[in-house]
Amino acid sequence: EADARLPVGPPDLPLSQEEVDARLRGSEDLVAFRAAEGSQRRKAATAASPGRRRRSVAMAVLGIEAAAGDSACRMSTLQRGYQAWQDFAEFAARRFGNAVRLWFAMDPEENMKIGEMQFARACDEIGFRGSVGLLWQYLDRDRSGHVTISEIDASCARLLAEFQVFMKENFSGSAAEAMRVLDDNRSNRVQKPEFVAGLRKLGFAGPAPHIFSLLSRSLVGAVTVKDFAFLETWKPPSYLFVPADEGALHSIRAALVRYHGSLLQAWFKELDREKHMRASWQDFQRMCAKLADMAPADSDGRLPNTERQAAAAWRALDPACSGWIMLRSLDPASHKTLAAIKRWVDQHHGGLVARALRCVSSSRSEAQQLADYTFGQPTVVVAGTASTAQVSKGAMKTYLRAQVGMPKEDVDLFFAGMDFRSDQIVCESDIKFLERWDLLWEEWSCSEEGGGAETSDISSAMVPRRVMGRLRSTEVVGEPTS
């Protein structure tokens, strides 16, 4: 069935042996992936009741209200992905104990990254019964086509990266040398007391017992040279093993304001061009390289010029080493302003930007609307069968201040920071991104950040440390409900 879907070349252009082999491998991957998905569906069907209970717990954690039978459609992609990830974390904690053992059960060849097909097969082989598709979407949010151990558990990846640096400094990065130094009794295996004492003697300041539990895959209380070997070739992201540099981050912010006028303008032009309301480490790297090329001669000299320097600035933005940042990390004031407008759209207009703009339009008198047309600023333009809502900037500013209750400085920040298509008009497309911004998820995920991850196993590092009955959402004052 999979072979029948493959494109076939013209009769006069026979396929080479390499092309035939490549297509066969593609067919095998497709069949394996579908088989894994089918297996997951069958297994999930046998555990329907626990699944419903997990969904209820996840919705309670995220503060979502939904009628029975309507929960799936009320949860966003991120929220449903989180639910799948929570199921995966709980399963992994029971089955493997920590994230490193889980990882090498899924990546036995120690490539330190897993593609989508391999991930689906591995989930089936280890017995995970959750939604593999949603889990993959949640983990592979950068759409790279593969996941790494840092996306599975950033805290464990950070500890391994720091230990890798220690190995390079003390053992020349060699697993065999590390084993020779730490193996006091020459048994070709290092017990936990030997491991901890040896690292302490060499000045290792990290959580040595926890490092041991991460490296010990066999559950027999010892590590061998094979358990160290992957650290010789693993190339983790630079931000996992560098300290934060607040000074470099301050210089970056100053340069962005200098070049773009505001951090909000810089966010959308340099970091988040698609307006997903998050930016990745790769986006940040590209921005730092661009800033380094644009830096004037009179700059303070703190702008990052190397990947390591950029990673240190990133670490100041992303202390949890998640690989992602949100607008609130770069500029809390801009986040506060956009969040207030987002809540106004959600709470009073069903989350629809067009409805919110038409509300602004309808609040204006006939004389004001006539003035808009006179100055070439139509409130609603109809193109074909679809109407696109838009309103003059003056009307929008007045409404946000008088009806929504936003301070003048916040309104000014919004209009100075957004890249509107017109100098006089706010179009629906200009702020359409507010509809897909999952602010509820963002508020919850930020509330979960905190200490304690460095000494926890997978059961506490991957699973939230507390369950919140409901997220508190700041009320938008002054907005009429009629």
Side-chain angles (χ1 to χ4, degrees), residues 142-216:
D142 60 357
R143 299 296 181 262
S144 63
H146 63 264
V147 296
T148 64
I149 190 171
S150 61
E151 290 170 302
I152 296 289
D153 191 323
S155 64
C156 285
R158 184 171 70 250
L159 288 174
L160 291 177
E162 292 171 355
F163 183 70
Q164 184 189 53
V165 172
F166 180 81
M167 274 188 57
K168 290 178 180 179
E169 294 173 348
N170 292 271
F171 311 121
S172 302
S174 168
E177 178 65 13
M179 178 60 63
R180 187 190 68 79
V181 173
L182 297 175
D183 184 16
D184 289 337
N185 58 12
R186 299 296 180 263
S187 62
N188 293 323
R189 57 197 305 173
V190 179
Q191 304 292 330
K192 187 173 183 177
E194 288 180 277
F195 183 87
V196 174
L199 292 188
R200 292 285 183 256
K201 188 184 299 182
L202 292 170
F204 182 67
H210 190 46
I211 293 288
F212 179 87
S213 70
L214 294 179
L215 293 174
S216 178

Side-chain angles (χ1 to χ4, degrees), residues 135-430:
L135 176 61
W136 175 263
Q137 291 180 42
Y138 182 79
L139 293 175
D140 186 35
R141 279 177 281 177
D142 60 357
R143 299 296 181 262
S144 63
H146 63 264
V147 296
T148 64
I149 190 171
S150 61
E151 290 170 302
I152 296 289
D153 191 323
S155 64
C156 285
R158 184 171 70 250
L159 288 174
L160 291 177
E162 292 171 355
F163 183 70
Q164 184 189 53
V165 172
F166 180 81
M167 274 188 57
K168 290 178 180 179
E169 294 173 348
N170 292 271
F171 311 121
S172 302
S174 168
E177 178 65 13
M179 178 60 63
R180 187 190 68 79
V181 173
L182 297 175
D183 184 16
D184 289 337
N185 58 12
R186 299 296 180 263
S187 62
N188 293 323
R189 57 197 305 173
V190 179
Q191 304 292 330
K192 187 173 183 177
E194 288 180 277
F195 183 87
V196 174
L199 292 188
R200 292 285 183 256
K201 188 184 299 182
L202 292 170
F204 182 67
H210 190 46
I211 293 288
F212 179 87
S213 70
L214 294 179
L215 293 174
S216 178
R217 305 183 206 172
S218 60
L219 298 177
V220 296
V223 293
T224 65
V225 68
K226 184 179 183 302
D227 296 324
F228 288 89
F230 75 97
L231 294 172
E232 295 182 345
T233 57
W234 179 40
K235 296 180 179 179
S238 302
Y239 58 80
L240 286 178
F241 52 79
V242 297
D245 187 345
E246 294 287 349
L249 178 58
H250 175 77
S251 296
I252 289 173
R253 286 190 172 114
L256 290 175
V257 172
R258 184 163 61 245
Y259 296 135
H260 295 287
S262 74
L263 289 176
L264 181 58
Q265 186 86 224
W267 171 265
F268 288 123
K269 287 192 173 182
E270 300 291 349
L271 288 170
D272 184 21
R273 295 180 180 180
E274 300 297 323
K275 296 185 177 178
H276 294 307
M277 297 308 293
R278 63 182 186 270
S280 69
W281 157 238
Q282 290 77 16
D283 297 325
F284 187 80
Q285 276 185 292
R286 286 190 290 269
M287 182 196 71
C288 287
K290 184 176 178 180
L291 287 178
D293 292 338
M294 297 168 59
D298 61 346
S299 66
D300 59 8
R302 295 297 300 273
L303 285 175
N305 288 310
T306 66
E307 179 179 341
R308 185 180 180 89
Q309 291 172 345
W314 173 269
R315 187 71 177 262
L317 287 169
D318 179 27
C321 296
S322 66
W324 294 91
I325 57 171
M326 293 168 281
L327 175 60
R328 68 171 68 220
S329 304
L330 182 70
D331 185 19
S334 294
H335 166 81
K336 175 187 172 185
T337 297
L338 282 186
I341 297 174
K342 163 71 174 176
R343 293 188 184 103
W344 163 61
V345 172
D346 284 352
Q347 294 176 5
H348 300 283
H349 304 289
L352 299 176
V353 167
R355 185 182 297 175
L357 293 182
R358 291 192 178 100
C359 177
V360 176
S361 170
S362 64
S363 69
R364 293 171 63 75
S365 66
E366 292 184 6
Q368 289 172 321
Q369 293 186 40
L370 179 60
D372 287 340
Y373 277 96
T374 302
F375 288 101
Q377 302 170 24
T379 304
V380 178
V381 173
V382 179
T385 58
S387 61
T388 301
Q390 59 186 45
V391 69
S392 69
K393 286 187 176 180
M396 187 72 171
K397 289 181 180 180
T398 301
Y399 193 90
L400 290 177
R401 291 183 62 188
Q403 301 296 336
V404 182
M406 291 179 62
K408 181 180 183 300
E409 56 270 22
D410 289 355
V411 175
D412 291 343
L413 187 154
F414 171 69
F415 280 91
M418 293 298 300
D419 187 19
F420 295 105
R421 297 186 180 185
S422 167
D423 291 337
Q424 303 295 333
I425 297 172
V426 178
C427 297
E428 179 183 347
S429 58
D430 291 330

